[in-house]
């Protein structure tokens, strides 16, 4: 029998695959190729399962305190989530409540459109320029809020902080979310803007720079006005949204950040080397300040290269349905050793 009422028609976000196959080079979801820090290993080894009998903390005070010291913000300006997807989803619910359209680029993190649809938020996808840049003037118009990933994904392109400030400054009657998932791979953070503007909300994740994608921890930082609303949303959806193990391990990660400075530096060096090598064989590479590159192959189509790499157990991301980048592949940056093997495999195909 037909179910009465309106069953929602939802077009979900399609996440990158997590193949179960062993011995692959996995460069399709921008995870970090390096180990979590020794302090994280140690915190996990000494975690007492007895603690799991109780619910996790409601406010992750220890993790927020560690982040407050690391970032130079007050602990009450920080909210922790089950990955930054959790934070972003709550931010959409908390901050976008007008009849006006929320603006974000046509090429950006694919989840924004899904949340806007899911929560009935009007939105407009603003085309990136022909060189895949976010054009500041496109965001100096009436709107119901703005979301900018900086550096952007899947392009990898970083927008300088003074241009981000121009957008924030011109839009003080709406909330501007800056998604800094990849900021620690060479960009300059928008955190200083928090001192001047109370309409900025910055989101971060432990999935990329901190090698903890599987732990599912992210956070948001904003003014007291914004924090009050997003905390109310959190307490209306899932108050215990961060598990006890995640809080302990993420705190250990923050307290051992020197280790991550080193692994991020390695990834950036490998990214720049890999980009130059691919350019030398005719590939077109967008300038990246992230842990991935968006490349247009030379001599073969993106689809052919994708299939060939997969046949050699190298997984990258291909977006055949996204017209503007259907001729490109997004390749996460692995270890130097992995990327040397990827380069050799590509060179073999070209030979
Ligand atoms: C731009 C951007 N924002 C947010 C996320 C979500 O990250 P997580 O939920 O793992 O924190 C991702 C993941 O790929 C991303 O690329």
């Amino acid at each position: 029998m037909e179910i009465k009422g309106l069953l929602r028609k939802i077009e979900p976000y399609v996440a990158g695959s997590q193949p179960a196959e062993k011995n692959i080079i996995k460069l399709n979801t921008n995870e970090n190729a390096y180990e979590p820090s020794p302090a994280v290993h140690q915190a996990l080894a000494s975690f007492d399962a007895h603690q799991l009998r109780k619910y996790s903390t409601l406010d992750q005070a220890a993790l927020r305190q560690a982040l407050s010291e690391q970032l130079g913000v007050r602990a009450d300006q920080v909210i922790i989530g089950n990955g930054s997807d959790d934070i972003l989803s709550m931010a959409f619910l908390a901050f976008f409540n007008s009849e006006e359209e929320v603006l974000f680029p046509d090429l950006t993190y694919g989840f924004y459109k899904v949340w806007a649809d899911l929560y009935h938020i009007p939105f407009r996808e603003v085309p990136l320029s022909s060189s895949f840049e976010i054009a500041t003037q496109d965001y100096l118009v009436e709107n119901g809020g703005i979301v900018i990933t900086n550096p952007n994904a899947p392009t990898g392109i970083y927008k300088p902080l003074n241009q981000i400030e121009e957008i924030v400054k011109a839009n003080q009657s709406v909330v501007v979310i800056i998604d800094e998932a990849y900021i620690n791979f060479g960009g300059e953070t928008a955190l200083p803007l928090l001192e001047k503007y109370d309409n900025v909300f910055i989101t971060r994740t432990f999935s990329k720079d901190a090698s903890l994608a599987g732990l599912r921890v992210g956070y948001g930082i904003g003014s007291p006005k914004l924090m009050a609303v997003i905390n109310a949303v959190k307490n209306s959806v899932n108050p215990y949204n961060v598990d006890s193990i995640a809080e302990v391990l993420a705190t250990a990660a923050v307290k051992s950040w020197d280790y991550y400075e080193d692994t991020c530096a390695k990834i950036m060096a490998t990214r720049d080397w890999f980009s130059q090598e691919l350019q030398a064989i005719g590939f077109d590479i967008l300038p990246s300040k992230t842990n991935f590159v968006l490349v247009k192959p030379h001599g073969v189509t993106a689809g052919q290269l994708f299939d060939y790499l997969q046949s050699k157990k190298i997984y990258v991301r291909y977006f055949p349905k996204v017209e503007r980048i259907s001729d490109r592949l997004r390749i996460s940056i692995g270890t130097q050793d992995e990327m040397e093997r990827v380069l050799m495999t590509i060179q073999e195909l070209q030979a």
Side-chain angles (χ1 to χ4, degrees), residues 20 54 72 104 123-124 128 159 180 188 208 222 289 347:
K54 292 196 293 184
F104 43 83
F123 67 95
R124 180 159 60 86
L128 293 180
K159 188 169 178 62
E180 291 195 339
E188 195 183 345
K208 316 295 180 181
K289 289 247 188 281
Q347 284 166 335

Side-chain angles (χ1 to χ4, degrees), residues 29-30 82-86 88 109 112 149 153 179 181-182 205-208 213 216-218:
T29 49
N30 301 340
N82 190 261
S84 61
D85 281 343
D86 187 29
L88 284 159
Y109 187 38
Y112 304 152
T149 309
D179 179 342
Y182 300 99
T205 176
F206 284 82
S207 299
K208 316 295 180 181
R216 312 303 304 126
V217 187

